[in-house]
Amino acid sequence: MARSSDAPAGPRLSAPDLPPDLTPAYPARAADLMAARLDLSGAVDLAHAFLEQCVLAADAEIVDLTGATLLDVDIPGPRLAALNLRDAGI
């Protein structure tokens, strides 16, 4: 009889579920955004934000997502010097 592996299974990767039309939005601390596109540059504070079905176009120095919640978020080709995700839910 074959012995089962004690190692956990690897993560399952899938593309985020994004709507066809995204609304342009501005980043803000504790923002509640759904189906939005954010163009990030410079120092961005999105701490404690809730982002669902969003695209983050990031060409920024610092993006702070401390305590943020990200559901179905796409960050294509990020260019970041620092990304803070402490206590974030992804």
Side-chain angles (χ1 to χ4, degrees), residues 59-71:
D59 188 2
E61 294 172 21
I62 300 170
V63 175
D64 185 7
L65 288 165
T66 301
T69 301
L70 286 75
L71 299 171

Side-chain angles (χ1 to χ4, degrees), residues 18-69:
L18 299 173
D21 296 320
L22 297 171
T23 304
Y26 295 100
R29 185 178 186 89
D32 187 3
L33 300 171
M34 184 171 190
R37 177 181 175 80
L38 291 93
D39 293 314
L40 309 179
S41 63
V44 179
D45 184 6
L46 280 166
H48 307 286
F50 183 84
L51 306 173
E52 184 175 355
Q53 296 180 332
C54 293
V55 172
L56 304 179
D59 188 2
E61 294 172 21
I62 300 170
V63 175
D64 185 7
L65 288 165
T66 301
T69 301

